[in-house]
Amino acid sequence: MVKKTDNGDFVNTVRESAQQIWLAGLGAFAKAQAEGGKVFENLVQEGTTIQRKTQAAAEEKFGDVGARMSDMSAKAGQQWDKFESIFEDRTARALSRLGVPSAKQVEALEARIDALAAQLAKLEKAVTPARPSAKRSAARSATPAAKSGARKRAV
C-alpha cells in the first residue's frame, strides 16, 4: 500500500514538473516571438544562398546541354548535307543514264540557241532589205519608152 504522504509528494512532484514544462513552453514562445524576426531573416538569407547556388548549377547544366545541343545540331546539319549531296549525285547519275540532260547542259544549249538566233537575225537584216530595194530601183530606172514597149508586147 502507498501511504498518503507518499501519494501527496508524488502529486506535488507531478504538479511542479508540469509547472516547469509550462514555464519552459512560455519562455520558448516568448523567445521565439522576440527572435522570430531574426530567425525569419536568417532563413530567408539561407534560402537566397541556396537558390543562388542551385540556380548557378542549373545554368551551368543548361549551358552544357545547350553546347551539346548545338554540337548535335551541327553534326545533324553536316549529316543532312552529306545525305543531300549523295541524293543529288545519285539522281544526276540516274537521269544521265536515261538520257536526260543536266541543268548545265540545258543552260549551254540555251546559250548556243541564243547566239545562233542573234547570228540569224543579223543575216536576215543583211539579206532581206537588199532584195526589195534592188527590184524597186530597177523598176524605177526603166525608161518610159521601155515600159510602153513592154506593154505592147504583152498585148
Side-chain angles (χ1 to χ4, degrees), residues 111-124:
R112 286 181 64 194
I113 290 170
D114 290 342
L116 289 172
Q119 286 179 352
L120 183 61
K122 278 184 182 179
L123 288 174
E124 285 178 347

Side-chain angles (χ1 to χ4, degrees), residues 68-82:
R68 288 181 186 168
M69 288 299 290
S70 63
D71 288 346
M72 290 174 65
S73 175
K75 288 178 182 178
Q78 290 171 351
Q79 293 300 323
W80 185 256
D81 290 344
K82 286 180 184 177

Side-chain angles (χ1 to χ4, degrees), residues 7 12-13 50 68 82 106 127 137:
N7 202 11
N12 284 335
T13 306
I50 290 172
R68 288 181 186 168
K82 286 180 184 177
V106 171
V127 172
S137 61

